[in-house]
Amino acid sequence: MTEPSSLHLFLMAILQGVTELFPISSLGHSVLVPGMLHWPIDRDAPWFLPFIVVLHLGTASALLIYFWRDWWRLFNGLWRARGGASNAEARLFWMLVTGTIPAGLIGLALHHQISRLFGLFELAAIFLMINGLMLLIGDSLKRRTPDGGLDKLTWGKALVIGLAQSIALIPGMSRSGATLVAGLGAGLDYAASARFSFLLATPIIAAAGVLEVPKLLHHGVPGGLVHVIVLAGLLAGVCAWFSTWFLMRWFSEHEVSALRPYAIYCMLLGALALWVG
């Protein structure tokens, strides 16, 4: 089947928009959920790559819209610092760059090797359970470290948080989960860790989409799917915006064990997937 139903594409868009930002692994869910529910999704079909590119661009756009004030302040601070790091906004900007570049290079270097794991259902389920354990460790780190805002972040810790993004190359491991846990380990509170995580995710997710645009143009899209894929991208963006809105409030209002519900969910879903599969 080369052209799936619009319903399944829209369900995939919702899945992407929600799970990309929740610490529960969008890649793991894109492997496990269609497999468990027997959705007719052919990852080798010509339409699939353009579809995923559009979903990523939708998610990145949602993050840019939600955090536009933050990005405005960052670029304004960079302008005032004349490209240096003499104020808090410019310093945070360069810390985001510090975290983005190494993680991006690792992703480019290992993408083809790890892409072979994308279709391995059992492996995704196992790593989703490991992701749950990682989130529990994050809550434990939070209880052991003092609360701190982004002004307390050092260059070395920013680098470690950024490098943690590369763990999301493994199906079942969450980018936001890894960066949240690394942020908590660096001494940030939940809200500051979430903000840095989502700001850090924006260029990575956008780059993942933009770098694949030439392939999108090369493969093309069947005429009957063009409008469906565009609508799916918009749907993914809307879901991502609401996910960000919810999570920023969630992490602002919870002082302890904010990651525990997601940890339990990941371990239960991973176990269920292994049992069903």
Side-chain angles (χ1 to χ4, degrees):
M1 179 180 295
T2 57
E3 292 192 24
S5 68
S6 299
L7 173 62
H8 288 106
L9 291 185
F10 291 148
L11 289 174
M12 283 287 289
I14 294 171
L15 195 66
Q16 163 70 23
V18 172
T19 59
E20 182 69 49
L21 300 173
F22 276 78
I24 56 177
S25 177
S26 61
L27 183 53
H29 277 71
S30 71
V31 172
L32 296 178
V33 174
M36 293 171 66
L37 300 180
H38 305 291
W39 289 354
I41 303 294
D42 182 5
R43 292 175 172 271
D44 296 319
W47 57 265
F48 187 75
L49 180 59
F51 174 64
I52 293 300
V53 171
V54 171
L55 295 190
H56 275 91
L57 292 176
T59 303
S61 298
L63 284 171
L64 284 171
I65 291 171
Y66 188 91
F67 289 108
W68 74 267
R69 291 184 180 85
D70 293 70
W71 286 110
W72 173 262
R73 286 192 291 267
L74 291 175
F75 282 109
N76 186 45
L78 186 67
W79 174 265
R80 288 186 284 106
R82 300 182 182 276
S86 59
N87 58 59
E89 292 80 11
R91 182 173 178 272
L92 179 56
F93 175 88
W94 287 116
M95 284 191 171
L96 290 168
V97 172
T98 298
T100 299
I101 292 178
L105 293 176
I106 290 174
L108 289 173
L110 300 181
H111 173 73
H112 293 295
Q113 292 85 342
I114 297 181
S115 62
R116 301 170 186 172
L117 307 177
F118 286 6
L120 299 181
F121 184 90
E122 292 79 7
L123 194 66
I126 291 171
F127 274 106
L128 188 64
M129 297 172 69
I130 294 174
N131 186 75
L133 291 175
M134 177 184 69
L135 297 180
L136 289 179
I137 291 172
D139 274 340
S140 176
L141 290 172
K142 172 63 175 63
R143 290 192 291 270
R144 296 177 184 179
T145 57
D147 287 344
L150 291 177
D151 58 317
K152 304 296 183 182
L153 197 61
T154 65
W155 296 98
K157 291 177 179 179
L159 177 63
V160 170
I161 297 171
L163 288 172
Q165 290 190 105
S166 59
I167 200 172
L169 290 168
I170 303 173
M173 299 303 293
S174 167
R175 175 188 291 107
S176 62
T179 52
L180 280 165
V181 170
L184 295 174
L188 300 179
D189 57 35
Y190 283 118
S193 184
R195 185 170 295 277
F196 192 79
S197 173
F198 293 150
L199 288 172
L200 195 62
T202 307
I204 288 289
I205 297 173
V210 171
L211 288 174
E212 298 294 341
V213 167
K215 296 180 183 178
L216 184 156
L217 299 174
H218 173 72
H219 284 281
V221 180
L225 284 180
V226 173
H227 69 285
V228 176
I229 289 178
V230 171
L231 289 175
L234 292 173
L235 180 58
V238 171
C239 291
W241 191 94
F242 279 106
S243 295
T244 307
W245 176 84
F246 173 85
L247 287 169
M248 289 304 298
R249 279 154 182 77
W250 173 269
F251 289 120
S252 296
E253 295 170 1
H254 288 74
E255 295 297 327
V256 294
S257 302
L259 295 176
R260 183 173 298 177
Y262 310 110
I264 295 172
Y265 167 81
C266 287
M267 289 188 285
L268 289 177
L269 180 60
L272 177 62
L274 288 175
W275 180 65
V276 171

